[in-house]
Protein backbone atom coordinates (compact mmCIF):
# COMPACT_ATOMS: atom_id res chain seq x y z
CA UNK A 1 0.00 0.00 0.00
CA UNK A 2 1.31 3.43 -0.93
CA UNK A 3 2.07 5.54 2.16
CA UNK A 4 0.74 8.97 1.10
CA UNK A 5 1.14 11.84 3.53
CA UNK A 6 -1.73 14.30 3.77
CA UNK A 7 -0.26 17.82 3.68
CA UNK A 8 -0.68 20.26 6.55
CA UNK A 9 -1.60 23.82 5.51
CA UNK A 10 -0.38 27.04 7.09
CA UNK A 11 -1.52 27.12 10.70
CA UNK A 12 -1.42 29.17 13.90
CA UNK A 13 -1.07 28.21 17.55
CA UNK A 14 -3.61 29.77 19.89
CA UNK A 15 -1.93 29.34 23.24
CA UNK A 16 -4.53 29.04 26.00
CA UNK A 17 -2.22 28.45 28.97
CA UNK A 18 -3.57 31.62 30.59
CA UNK A 19 -7.21 30.70 29.92
CA UNK A 20 -7.77 26.95 29.64
CA UNK A 21 -4.62 26.42 31.71
CA UNK A 22 -6.08 28.41 34.59
CA UNK A 23 -8.71 25.68 34.89
CA UNK A 24 -6.04 23.10 35.75
CA UNK A 25 -6.17 21.83 39.32
CA UNK A 26 -4.45 24.16 41.77
CA UNK A 27 -3.39 26.74 39.20
CA UNK A 28 -3.02 30.33 40.40
CA UNK A 29 -1.09 32.55 38.00
CA UNK A 30 -0.30 35.99 39.37
CA UNK A 31 -0.13 38.94 37.00
CA UNK A 32 3.67 38.69 37.07
CA UNK A 33 3.39 34.98 36.26
CA UNK A 34 1.15 35.79 33.31
CA UNK A 35 3.57 38.39 32.00
CA UNK A 36 6.52 36.00 32.30
CA UNK A 37 4.69 33.15 30.54
CA UNK A 38 3.39 35.50 27.85
CA UNK A 39 6.88 36.88 27.18
CA UNK A 40 8.37 33.40 26.83
CA UNK A 41 5.62 32.26 24.49
CA UNK A 42 5.98 35.48 22.50
CA UNK A 43 9.69 34.73 22.06
CA UNK A 44 8.82 31.17 21.06
CA UNK A 45 6.61 32.58 18.33
CA UNK A 46 3.01 31.68 19.15
CA UNK A 47 0.66 33.67 16.96
CA UNK A 48 -2.16 34.09 19.49
CA UNK A 49 -2.63 34.05 23.25
CA UNK A 50 -6.02 33.54 24.84
CA UNK A 51 -6.94 34.87 28.28
CA UNK A 52 -9.90 34.10 30.51
CA UNK A 53 -13.09 36.10 30.08
CA UNK A 54 -12.93 39.57 31.66
CA UNK A 55 -15.89 38.63 33.88
CA UNK A 56 -14.16 35.56 35.37
CA UNK A 57 -13.03 37.39 38.51
CA UNK A 58 -12.58 40.97 39.78
CA UNK A 59 -8.95 40.96 38.56
CA UNK A 60 -9.53 39.33 35.14
CA UNK A 61 -10.25 42.50 33.16
CA UNK A 62 -7.19 44.21 34.65
CA UNK A 63 -4.96 41.29 33.69
CA UNK A 64 -6.23 41.43 30.11
CA UNK A 65 -5.53 45.17 29.91
CA UNK A 66 -2.04 44.68 31.35
CA UNK A 67 -1.11 42.07 28.75
CA UNK A 68 -2.75 44.10 26.00
CA UNK A 69 -0.37 46.95 26.85
CA UNK A 70 2.84 44.86 26.88
CA UNK A 71 5.15 44.79 23.83
CA UNK A 72 4.28 41.60 21.94
CA UNK A 73 4.11 39.95 18.58
CA UNK A 74 1.10 37.73 19.29
CA UNK A 75 -2.55 38.73 19.00
CA UNK A 76 -4.32 38.85 22.35
CA UNK A 77 -7.68 37.09 22.63
CA UNK A 78 -10.26 36.70 25.36
CA UNK A 79 -12.75 33.86 25.64
CA UNK A 80 -16.32 35.12 26.08
CA UNK A 81 -19.88 33.84 26.17
CA UNK A 82 -22.17 34.67 23.29
CA UNK A 83 -23.76 37.74 24.83
CA UNK A 84 -23.45 41.46 24.25
CA UNK A 85 -22.33 42.40 27.77
CA UNK A 86 -19.28 40.13 27.51
CA UNK A 87 -18.54 41.41 24.00
CA UNK A 88 -18.62 45.06 25.06
CA UNK A 89 -16.33 44.42 28.02
CA UNK A 90 -13.88 42.49 25.81
CA UNK A 91 -13.62 45.46 23.47
CA UNK A 92 -13.09 47.78 26.43
CA UNK A 93 -10.15 45.63 27.60
CA UNK A 94 -8.19 46.32 24.41
CA UNK A 95 -7.99 42.80 23.00
CA UNK A 96 -7.22 42.04 19.36
CA UNK A 97 -9.80 39.28 19.17
CA UNK A 98 -12.70 37.62 20.94
CA UNK A 99 -13.33 33.89 21.07
CA UNK A 100 -17.12 33.64 21.31
CA UNK A 101 -18.66 30.33 22.32
CA UNK A 102 -22.01 28.71 23.01
CA UNK A 103 -23.05 25.09 23.46
CA UNK A 104 -24.95 23.36 20.66
CA UNK A 105 -25.35 19.80 21.93
CA UNK A 106 -28.62 18.70 23.53
CA UNK A 107 -26.75 18.53 26.84
CA UNK A 108 -25.64 22.16 26.60
CA UNK A 109 -28.91 23.50 25.22
CA UNK A 110 -30.93 21.80 27.94
CA UNK A 111 -28.65 22.07 30.96
CA UNK A 112 -26.40 25.06 30.21
CA UNK A 113 -28.03 28.02 28.45
CA UNK A 114 -31.50 26.72 27.46
CA UNK A 115 -31.55 28.38 24.02
CA UNK A 116 -32.95 26.92 20.81
CA UNK A 117 -30.82 26.56 17.69
CA UNK A 118 -32.52 29.60 16.18
CA UNK A 119 -31.73 31.65 19.29
CA UNK A 120 -28.10 30.49 19.17
CA UNK A 121 -27.82 31.75 15.59
CA UNK A 122 -29.54 35.06 16.40
CA UNK A 123 -27.31 35.93 19.35
CA UNK A 124 -24.23 34.79 17.43
CA UNK A 125 -25.03 37.08 14.53
CA UNK A 126 -25.67 40.01 16.87
CA UNK A 127 -22.36 39.58 18.71
CA UNK A 128 -20.37 39.09 15.49
CA UNK A 129 -21.89 42.21 13.92
CA UNK A 130 -20.92 44.27 16.97
CA UNK A 131 -17.36 42.93 17.14
CA UNK A 132 -16.86 43.45 13.41
CA UNK A 133 -17.86 47.09 13.84
CA UNK A 134 -15.14 47.40 16.50
CA UNK A 135 -12.50 45.80 14.22
CA UNK A 136 -12.14 42.87 16.64
CA UNK A 137 -11.05 39.54 15.15
CA UNK A 138 -13.80 37.10 16.01
CA UNK A 139 -14.18 33.37 16.36
CA UNK A 140 -17.51 31.65 16.93
CA UNK A 141 -17.31 28.19 18.47
CA UNK A 142 -19.93 25.54 19.09
CA UNK A 143 -19.12 24.06 22.47
CA UNK A 144 -19.42 20.26 22.72
CA UNK A 145 -19.35 19.96 18.91
CA UNK A 146 -18.88 16.20 18.76
CA UNK A 147 -22.01 15.49 20.81
CA UNK A 148 -24.05 17.93 18.75
CA UNK A 149 -26.30 17.07 15.85
CA UNK A 150 -24.14 17.23 12.71
CA UNK A 151 -26.74 19.10 10.66
CA UNK A 152 -27.29 21.58 13.50
CA UNK A 153 -23.63 22.55 13.86
CA UNK A 154 -23.18 22.89 10.11
CA UNK A 155 -26.21 25.17 10.02
CA UNK A 156 -24.74 27.32 12.81
CA UNK A 157 -21.28 27.43 11.22
CA UNK A 158 -22.67 28.42 7.83
CA UNK A 159 -24.76 31.20 9.39
CA UNK A 160 -21.76 32.54 11.31
CA UNK A 161 -19.59 32.42 8.19
CA UNK A 162 -22.18 34.44 6.29
CA UNK A 163 -22.33 36.86 9.23
CA UNK A 164 -18.65 37.67 8.64
CA UNK A 165 -16.87 35.76 11.41
CA UNK A 166 -13.09 35.38 10.98
CA UNK A 167 -13.11 31.74 11.98
CA UNK A 168 -15.38 29.08 13.40
CA UNK A 169 -14.33 26.79 16.21
CA UNK A 170 -14.78 23.04 16.60
CA UNK A 171 -14.59 21.94 20.24
CA UNK A 172 -14.16 18.40 21.52
CA UNK A 173 -15.23 19.64 24.93
CA UNK A 174 -15.30 16.31 26.76
CA UNK A 175 -12.56 14.52 24.82
CA UNK A 176 -14.65 11.88 23.05
CA UNK A 177 -13.55 12.43 19.45
CA UNK A 178 -11.15 10.15 17.61
CA UNK A 179 -8.81 11.13 14.75
CA UNK A 180 -11.07 9.80 11.99
CA UNK A 181 -14.13 11.60 13.40
CA UNK A 182 -12.09 14.79 13.67
CA UNK A 183 -10.78 14.55 10.14
CA UNK A 184 -14.23 13.88 8.71
CA UNK A 185 -15.93 16.70 10.59
CA UNK A 186 -13.28 19.30 9.76
CA UNK A 187 -13.05 18.28 6.10
CA UNK A 188 -16.84 18.51 5.76
CA UNK A 189 -16.82 21.87 7.50
CA UNK A 190 -14.10 23.05 5.13
CA UNK A 191 -16.59 22.52 2.29
CA UNK A 192 -19.28 24.52 4.10
CA UNK A 193 -17.45 27.67 5.23
CA UNK A 194 -14.92 29.99 3.64
CA UNK A 195 -13.56 31.40 6.91
CA UNK A 196 -10.73 29.94 9.00
CA UNK A 197 -11.31 26.90 11.24
CA UNK A 198 -10.09 26.45 14.81
CA UNK A 199 -9.86 23.15 16.71
CA UNK A 200 -10.01 22.80 20.50
CA UNK A 201 -9.49 19.24 21.72
CA UNK A 202 -9.59 17.88 25.25
CA UNK A 203 -7.42 14.94 26.21
CA UNK A 204 -9.78 12.81 28.31
CA UNK A 205 -9.23 9.77 26.10
CA UNK A 206 -5.63 10.63 25.16
CA UNK A 207 -6.43 11.64 21.58
CA UNK A 208 -5.86 15.41 21.76
CA UNK A 209 -2.58 15.50 19.81
CA UNK A 210 -3.73 13.01 17.18
CA UNK A 211 -7.03 14.84 16.80
CA UNK A 212 -5.32 18.23 16.48
CA UNK A 213 -2.96 16.87 13.83
CA UNK A 214 -5.83 15.34 11.87
CA UNK A 215 -7.74 18.61 12.15
CA UNK A 216 -4.81 20.35 10.46
CA UNK A 217 -4.63 17.70 7.76
CA UNK A 218 -8.35 18.21 7.13
CA UNK A 219 -7.99 21.97 6.69
CA UNK A 220 -8.05 23.57 10.14
CA UNK A 221 -5.99 26.76 10.39
CA UNK A 222 -5.79 27.35 14.15
CA UNK A 223 -5.12 24.89 16.99
CA UNK A 224 -5.72 25.61 20.69
CA UNK A 225 -2.84 24.42 22.87
CA UNK A 226 -1.45 24.91 26.36
CA UNK A 227 1.99 24.41 27.83
CA UNK A 228 2.19 20.77 29.00
CA UNK A 229 -1.45 20.37 27.96
CA UNK A 230 -2.80 21.81 31.23
CA UNK A 231 -6.49 22.57 31.44
CA UNK A 232 -9.83 21.37 32.75
CA UNK A 233 -9.64 17.70 33.82
CA UNK A 234 -6.91 16.05 31.68
CA UNK A 235 -6.37 19.27 29.76
CA UNK A 236 -6.12 19.94 26.03
CA UNK A 237 -3.58 19.52 23.24
CA UNK A 238 -0.05 20.05 24.64
CA UNK A 239 1.88 22.51 22.49
CA UNK A 240 5.20 20.66 22.82
CA UNK A 241 3.72 17.30 21.88
CA UNK A 242 1.99 18.79 18.84
CA UNK A 243 5.27 20.43 17.84
CA UNK A 244 6.83 16.97 18.01
CA UNK A 245 4.09 15.45 15.84
CA UNK A 246 4.45 18.22 13.27
CA UNK A 247 8.25 17.96 13.35
CA UNK A 248 8.16 14.26 12.56
CA UNK A 249 5.73 14.91 9.72
CA UNK A 250 7.73 17.73 8.16
CA UNK A 251 10.38 19.63 10.09
CA UNK A 252 9.76 22.76 8.04
CA UNK A 253 6.28 23.06 9.60
CA UNK A 254 7.79 24.21 12.91
CA UNK A 255 10.89 26.06 11.73
CA UNK A 256 9.08 29.35 12.35
CA UNK A 257 9.21 28.71 16.11
CA UNK A 258 12.17 29.14 18.46
CA UNK A 259 12.29 25.45 19.34
CA UNK A 260 15.19 25.78 21.80
CA UNK A 261 12.88 27.77 24.09
CA UNK A 262 10.45 24.87 24.55
CA UNK A 263 12.32 23.23 27.47
CA UNK A 264 12.52 26.57 29.31
CA UNK A 265 8.84 27.35 28.73
CA UNK A 266 7.74 23.97 30.08
CA UNK A 267 10.13 24.18 33.03
CA UNK A 268 8.86 27.63 34.04
CA UNK A 269 5.19 26.64 33.82
CA UNK A 270 5.78 23.37 35.67
CA UNK A 271 7.51 25.25 38.50
CA UNK A 272 4.64 27.71 38.79
CA UNK A 273 2.20 24.79 38.97
CA UNK A 274 4.32 22.94 41.52
CA UNK A 275 4.52 19.82 39.35
CA UNK A 276 7.22 17.79 37.63
CA UNK A 277 7.33 17.53 33.85
CA UNK A 278 6.07 13.96 33.26
CA UNK A 279 8.92 11.59 32.36
CA UNK A 280 7.29 10.61 29.05
CA UNK A 281 6.50 14.13 27.85
CA UNK A 282 7.50 14.32 24.17
CA UNK A 283 10.78 16.19 23.62
CA UNK A 284 11.25 17.62 27.13
CA UNK A 285 10.60 14.56 29.30
CA UNK A 286 13.72 13.34 31.07
CA UNK A 287 13.82 10.11 29.03
CA UNK A 288 12.80 11.56 25.66
CA UNK A 289 16.30 11.06 24.20
CA UNK A 290 17.51 8.31 26.53
CA UNK A 291 18.95 5.18 24.90
CA UNK A 292 19.68 1.99 26.78
CA UNK A 293 19.49 -1.31 24.89
CA UNK A 294 22.81 -2.45 23.39
CA UNK A 295 21.54 -2.86 19.84
CA UNK A 296 19.91 0.59 19.98
CA UNK A 297 22.92 2.40 21.42
CA UNK A 298 25.26 0.81 18.88
CA UNK A 299 23.11 2.11 16.02
CA UNK A 300 22.52 5.54 17.60
CA UNK A 301 26.26 6.07 18.08
CA UNK A 302 26.76 5.45 14.36
CA UNK A 303 23.68 7.36 13.17
CA UNK A 304 21.20 8.84 15.67
CA UNK A 305 18.36 8.86 13.14
CA UNK A 306 18.31 5.05 13.35
CA UNK A 307 16.28 5.33 16.57
CA UNK A 308 15.44 9.04 16.71
CA UNK A 309 12.81 10.82 14.63
CA UNK A 310 13.53 14.09 16.46
CA UNK A 311 16.99 15.64 16.76
CA UNK A 312 17.44 16.78 20.38
CA UNK A 313 19.93 19.43 19.26
CA UNK A 314 17.12 21.30 17.52
CA UNK A 315 15.60 21.83 20.97
CA UNK A 316 18.87 22.50 22.76
CA UNK A 317 18.76 19.14 24.51
CA UNK A 318 21.34 16.35 24.96
CA UNK A 319 21.18 12.75 23.87
CA UNK A 320 21.82 10.28 26.70
CA UNK A 321 23.44 6.88 26.21
CA UNK A 322 22.89 4.89 29.39
CA UNK A 323 25.72 2.54 30.40
CA UNK A 324 24.88 1.70 34.02
CA UNK A 325 22.71 -1.38 33.50
CA UNK A 326 22.77 -5.06 32.54
CA UNK A 327 21.70 -4.45 28.92
CA UNK A 328 24.72 -2.29 28.10
CA UNK A 329 26.70 -3.03 24.95
CA UNK A 330 30.41 -2.72 24.23
CA UNK A 331 30.01 0.30 21.95
CA UNK A 332 28.21 2.27 24.63
CA UNK A 333 31.00 1.49 27.11
CA UNK A 334 33.66 2.48 24.55
CA UNK A 335 31.90 5.79 23.85
CA UNK A 336 31.40 6.55 27.53
CA UNK A 337 35.06 5.83 28.31
CA UNK A 338 36.30 7.92 25.39
CA UNK A 339 34.25 10.82 26.68
CA UNK A 340 36.29 10.61 29.88
CA UNK A 341 39.64 10.41 28.14
CA UNK A 342 40.00 6.64 28.44
CA UNK A 343 40.83 4.29 25.59
CA UNK A 344 39.85 0.67 25.92
CA UNK A 345 41.62 -1.98 23.82
CA UNK A 346 39.26 -4.73 22.69
CA UNK A 347 40.24 -7.20 25.42
CA UNK A 348 39.85 -4.58 28.15
CA UNK A 349 36.59 -3.33 26.64
CA UNK A 350 35.18 -6.85 26.76
CA UNK A 351 36.28 -7.22 30.37
CA UNK A 352 34.77 -3.88 31.48
CA UNK A 353 31.48 -4.64 29.71
CA UNK A 354 31.32 -8.09 31.34
CA UNK A 355 32.02 -6.63 34.80
CA UNK A 356 29.34 -3.95 34.39
CA UNK A 357 26.77 -6.57 33.34
CA UNK A 358 27.78 -8.86 36.21
CA UNK A 359 27.44 -6.11 38.80
CA UNK A 360 24.13 -4.90 37.30
CA UNK A 361 22.74 -8.42 37.51
CA UNK A 362 23.27 -8.33 41.27
CA UNK A 363 21.83 -4.88 41.98
CA UNK A 364 20.93 -1.55 40.40
CA UNK A 365 24.13 0.34 39.59
CA UNK A 366 25.12 3.94 38.91
CA UNK A 367 27.65 5.74 36.75
CA UNK A 368 29.90 5.89 39.81
CA UNK A 369 30.02 2.09 39.76
CA UNK A 370 30.98 2.13 36.08
CA UNK A 371 33.65 4.75 36.80
CA UNK A 372 35.15 2.58 39.55
CA UNK A 373 35.42 -0.35 37.14
CA UNK A 374 37.06 1.89 34.53
CA UNK A 375 39.45 3.43 37.05
CA UNK A 376 41.02 0.05 37.71
CA UNK A 377 41.86 -0.28 34.03
CA UNK A 378 42.37 3.37 33.05
CA UNK A 379 44.61 4.04 30.09
CA UNK A 380 44.89 7.76 29.18
CA UNK A 381 44.19 8.65 25.57
CA UNK A 382 47.43 9.21 23.60
CA UNK A 383 48.27 12.85 22.80
Amino acid sequence: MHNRKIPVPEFNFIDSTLREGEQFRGTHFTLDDKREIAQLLDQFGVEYMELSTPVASPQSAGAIRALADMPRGFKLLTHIRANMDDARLAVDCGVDGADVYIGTSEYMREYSHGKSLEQVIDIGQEVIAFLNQQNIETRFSTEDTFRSNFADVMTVYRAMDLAGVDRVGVADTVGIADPLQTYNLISNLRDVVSCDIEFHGHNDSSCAVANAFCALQAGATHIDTTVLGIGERNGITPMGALVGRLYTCDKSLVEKYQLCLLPEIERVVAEKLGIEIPYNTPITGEVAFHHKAGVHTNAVLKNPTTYEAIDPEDFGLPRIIDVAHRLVGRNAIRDYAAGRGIRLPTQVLNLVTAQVKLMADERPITLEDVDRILSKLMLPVDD
Side-chain angles (χ1 to χ4, degrees):
M1 182 180 293
H2 180 60
N3 184 18
R4 181 178 64 87
K5 283 188 176 181
I6 301 173
V8 172
E10 286 293 317
F11 67 92
N12 299 274
F13 280 139
I14 298 178
D15 183 84
S16 191
T17 303
L18 302 182
R19 198 280 296 177
E20 177 73 48
E22 281 206 303
Q23 298 171 211
F24 182 65
R25 181 194 64 183
T27 300
H28 179 80
F29 293 135
T30 66
L31 181 55
D32 285 342
D33 290 337
K34 292 179 179 181
R35 284 197 182 101
E36 183 180 359
I37 292 168
Q39 287 170 349
L40 282 170
L41 286 164
D42 192 38
Q43 293 169 28
F44 180 81
V46 297
E47 294 85 359
Y48 294 81
M49 283 205 68
E50 182 185 58
L51 301 188
S52 299
T53 172
V55 301
S57 76
Q59 294 183 358
S60 295
I64 295 172
R65 292 188 180 99
L67 266 67
D69 290 339
M70 67 179 279
R72 54 189 167 83
F74 59 78
K75 292 182 178 180
L76 187 68
L77 310 174
T78 186
H79 190 258
I80 63 172
R81 298 167 297 182
N83 69 58
M84 290 301 296
D85 289 340
D86 284 17
R88 291 189 186 96
L89 184 53
V91 172
D92 183 61
C93 287
V95 295
D96 302 299
D99 289 344
V100 182
Y101 74 96
I102 192 168
T104 50
S105 69
E106 291 183 6
Y107 298 93
M108 297 295 175
R109 282 154 57 186
E110 181 175 354
Y111 300 112
S112 180
H113 53 71
K115 291 181 172 61
S116 68
L117 194 67
E118 291 74 18
Q119 290 173 312
V120 166
I121 291 173
D122 288 343
I123 186 61
Q125 291 171 331
E126 181 185 8
V127 171
I128 290 167
F130 169 74
L131 292 171
N132 283 347
Q133 290 171 0
Q134 307 300 317
N135 294 316
I136 298 294
E137 185 174 326
T138 308
R139 178 217 72 191
F140 189 92
S141 177
T142 62
E143 191 180 20
D144 205 14
T145 311
F146 287 87
R147 292 195 300 181
S148 299
N149 179 277
F150 183 81
D152 287 350
V153 296
M154 291 300 168
T155 298
V156 172
Y157 288 137
R158 181 60 177 158
M160 297 306 109
D161 186 35
L162 292 172
V165 77
D166 291 284
R167 63 185 178 278
V168 291
V170 172
D172 183 17
T173 303
V174 294
I176 61 168
D178 64 41
L180 184 58
Q181 286 176 310
T182 303
Y183 184 89
N184 287 339
L185 193 153
I186 298 290
S187 59
N188 278 285
L189 179 58
R190 183 72 284 167
D191 292 334
V192 171
V193 300
S194 58
C195 61
D196 286 341
I197 299 173
E198 177 180 337
F199 176 75
H200 179 95
H202 277 260
N203 203 35
D204 299 75
S205 59
S206 199
C207 282
V209 173
N211 288 343
F213 183 69
C214 284
L216 288 173
Q217 289 180 310
T221 55
H222 296 66
I223 300 293
D224 293 1
T225 63
T226 60
V227 177
L228 294 172
I230 60 172
E232 187 83 358
R233 306 184 311 280
N234 280 4
I236 65 169
T237 306
M239 182 182 74
L242 183 56
V243 165
R245 178 76 280 266
L246 291 163
Y247 180 110
T248 58
C249 172
D250 181 351
K251 184 177 175 179
S252 68
L253 292 171
V254 291
E255 285 180 343
K256 59 182 176 177
Y257 302 112
Q258 298 300 311
L259 301 180
C260 284
L261 282 175
L262 182 62
E264 174 71 1
I265 291 168
E266 295 194 349
R267 181 192 64 78
V268 166
V269 172
E271 285 183 355
K272 293 184 185 304
L273 297 173
I275 64 172
E276 297 289 332
I277 296 175
Y279 75 90
N280 59 347
T281 298
I283 301 173
T284 61
E286 64 178 349
V287 298
F289 301 105
H290 186 282
H291 301 277
K292 183 174 179 180
V295 173
H296 287 206
T297 56
N298 181 32
V300 167
L301 288 169
K302 295 175 181 176
N303 183 348
T305 61
T306 307
Y307 284 102
E308 286 179 353
I310 297 173
D311 185 348
E313 291 185 5
D314 286 340
F315 297 86
L317 295 169
R319 176 180 299 109
I320 299 172
I321 305 295
D322 191 357
V323 297
H325 57 89
R326 62 172 61 148
L327 305 179
V328 69
R330 295 188 310 155
N331 291 288
I333 293 290
R334 181 191 289 117
D335 180 74
Y336 177 78
R340 280 151 178 73
I342 304 170
R343 64 175 177 83
L344 296 176
T346 300
Q347 185 175 358
V348 177
L349 174 63
N350 292 340
L351 180 59
V352 170
T353 305
Q355 288 185 4
V356 170
K357 287 176 174 286
L358 182 63
M359 182 180 293
D361 259 346
E362 297 298 323
R363 61 174 175 82
I365 64 172
T366 65
L367 288 178
E368 287 73 19
D369 292 315
V370 177
D371 288 339
R372 278 193 288 271
I373 293 172
L374 286 169
S375 67
K376 297 177 184 178
L377 303 162
M378 186 176 295
L379 296 171
V381 174
D382 294 334
D383 293 334

